[in-house]
Amino acid sequence: MKCVHLKGFQSLLELVDKPTPVPMGTEVLLKVLGAGVCHSDAHIWEGHYDLGGGRLMSMAERIRFPLVMGHETSGEVVALGPQAKGVSVGSRYAVCSWIGCGECRFCAAGDEHLCAAPRFLGVNRDGGYADHILVPDARYLIDIGDLDPVAAAPLVCSGLTTYSALKKAGPVLQQDRIVVIGAGGLGLMALNLMRLLGAKGAVVLEPNAEKRQAALEAGAVAAIDPGAADAVQQVRAALGHPVSFVLDLVGSAESAGIGFELLDRAGKMVVVGLFGGAMALPVPLLPMRAATIQGSYIGSPGELRELIALVRKNGGLAVRVDRRPLADADQALQDLRAGRVVGRVVLVP
Ligand SMILES: [Zn+2]
Ligand SMILES: [Zn+2]
């Protein structure tokens, strides 16, 4: 098989050959049909998250090299271990990469994405930047039916992350227009999912003009440059009512700061992005506005099943996908880091 190796932090991604694994026990071997390139991959490559104030959270203890990244994978089953059940050779699945220890209280509650000893594919174990992927158990495979496997791959992280975050808005999503910060891969995914969820609509904040245009094409009510001196007033005008929900898909000091500034009384901001930095919060305003700031990290395997069922019922999602060969993985990652990607890059072996 061919796979893309990351041999150390900030090193070149290399396409290498290695023996194709034979599935043992409950394992399932799939031929990869699509592998999304996510911002988390850029953080793994960099080796740290920026906590602000010069503090970094190192990935050194979590990552073992060489690593095959890729946690947004779809594929076709080609071989089953002797104990593997519930999937069939030739069928197509999304691979739920969010595999926990199976023993902690989060795993017991079905929240494997919150496990403190994760075995995530593409992070802690080899993932989808390859032409084959080994999945430990068929229960992590979700049937995608007739969905385009390349467009379906990003549902595993980009889709699930935005879906789980949008659900945290509650009924407000159908009642009010919301504010979405960021129109990268997650932002466009959020706008598409909002349609399926019967949401009222979103005003998007995004500094890049091409991405603002993409947001308008994906159904945003308005797309505003947060760098404009009157950005806050523009958002309020476009919304036409107080801000009850902000979805921060960037997660920088600036984005969370403007998000909180926008929030009206009893409003909620859900932060999803991991760009980095430390937020300066005017603390008295938190109680005075009875505001809620909530974090949302990926989503549960159960939510991924819900999401794929929702997308299948609607015949697919019009996600903007930039298809590239496996050999272009390094360039794709650097393009993403430099903000040159509109929509989602999916590696197609
Ligand atoms: Zn991801
Ligand atoms: Zn666990």
Side-chain angles (χ1 to χ4, degrees):
M1 64 178 278
K2 287 199 183 311
C3 61
V4 175
H5 267 171
L6 175 66
K7 291 181 175 163
F9 295 126
Q10 302 185 21
S11 74
L12 197 72
L13 294 178
E14 285 176 56
L15 192 62
V16 300
D17 282 295
K18 68 176 187 187
T20 307
V22 176
M24 315 284 275
T26 61
E27 291 174 343
V28 181
L29 182 71
L30 293 96
K31 182 161 81 92
V32 173
L33 300 174
V37 180
C38 176
H39 268 286
S40 311
D41 295 329
H43 285 293
I44 293 171
W45 183 88
E46 284 160 9
H48 55 73
Y49 286 88
D50 175 8
L51 300 182
R55 289 195 304 153
L56 298 177
M57 187 184 94
S58 170
M59 299 289 284
E61 280 161 29
R62 294 154 206 250
I63 305 294
R64 280 202 308 241
F65 298 111
L67 171 69
V68 178
M69 294 197 294
H71 54 264
E72 285 188 339
T73 314
S74 63
E76 183 178 314
V77 171
V78 292
L80 301 171
Q83 275 99 51
K85 282 192 204 71
V87 294
S88 48
V89 170
S91 294
R92 293 172 163 193
Y93 299 90
V95 178
C96 177
S97 298
W98 318 119
I99 302 175
C101 69
E103 288 164 9
C104 70
R105 65 191 176 104
F106 294 109
C107 288
D111 290 329
E112 288 183 67
H113 62 302
L114 299 179
C115 179
R119 299 179 292 173
F120 295 169
L121 302 179
V123 182
N124 313 103
R125 290 178 168 204
D126 285 351
Y129 287 14
D131 56 11
H132 287 78
I133 184 170
L134 195 62
V135 177
D137 194 292
R139 66 197 165 96
Y140 297 107
L141 298 176
I142 303 169
D143 193 347
I144 56 170
D146 295 332
L147 291 180
D148 170 9
V150 175
L155 293 175
V156 176
C157 180
S158 164
L160 175 59
T161 300
T162 47
Y163 176 71
S164 182
L166 285 168
K167 275 180 71 177
K168 292 177 172 75
V172 156
L173 191 65
Q174 285 79 26
Q175 290 160 4
D176 288 354
R177 287 174 169 172
I178 67 167
V179 176
V180 173
I181 306 181
L186 289 181
L188 298 185
M189 180 65 84
L191 290 164
N192 277 295
L193 288 180
M194 284 176 66
R195 270 209 293 261
L196 304 197
L197 292 166
K200 191 98 177 193
V203 173
V204 173
L205 277 164
E206 165 62 53
N208 177 300
E210 194 188 348
K211 291 180 184 177
R212 282 202 299 276
Q213 187 55 38
L216 291 171
E217 286 163 15
V221 173
I224 290 157
D225 181 357
D230 62 343
V232 168
Q233 290 87 329
Q234 282 191 56
V235 171
R236 293 192 200 286
L239 222 57
H241 56 67
V243 179
S244 51
F245 187 74
V246 174
L247 179 55
D248 178 9
L249 300 170
V250 176
S252 69
E254 294 75 19
S255 64
I258 196 169
F260 185 74
E261 186 185 341
L262 280 164
L263 272 192
D264 194 55
R265 269 163 292 176
K268 183 192 251 194
M269 172 165 72
V270 170
V271 181
V272 167
L274 295 163
F275 182 89
M279 178 187 180
L281 180 74
V283 179
L285 295 184
L286 193 61
M288 285 162 72
R289 288 188 191 161
T292 303
I293 302 178
Q294 184 174 8
S296 189
Y297 185 60
I298 323 174
S300 69
E303 285 176 322
L304 182 56
R305 287 182 186 278
E306 277 174 33
L307 168 63
I308 288 175
L310 177 72
V311 173
R312 285 182 66 177
K313 200 177 85 186
N314 285 274
L317 260 192
V319 177
R320 190 158 161 180
V321 170
D322 175 355
R323 293 165 196 244
R324 305 209 197 169
L326 264 188
D328 286 4
D330 193 75
Q331 187 60 50
L333 193 70
Q334 296 311 327
D335 286 348
L336 186 66
R337 292 186 66 236
R340 288 191 293 263
V341 172
V342 179
R344 199 66 162 178
V345 174
V346 178
L347 302 174
V348 182

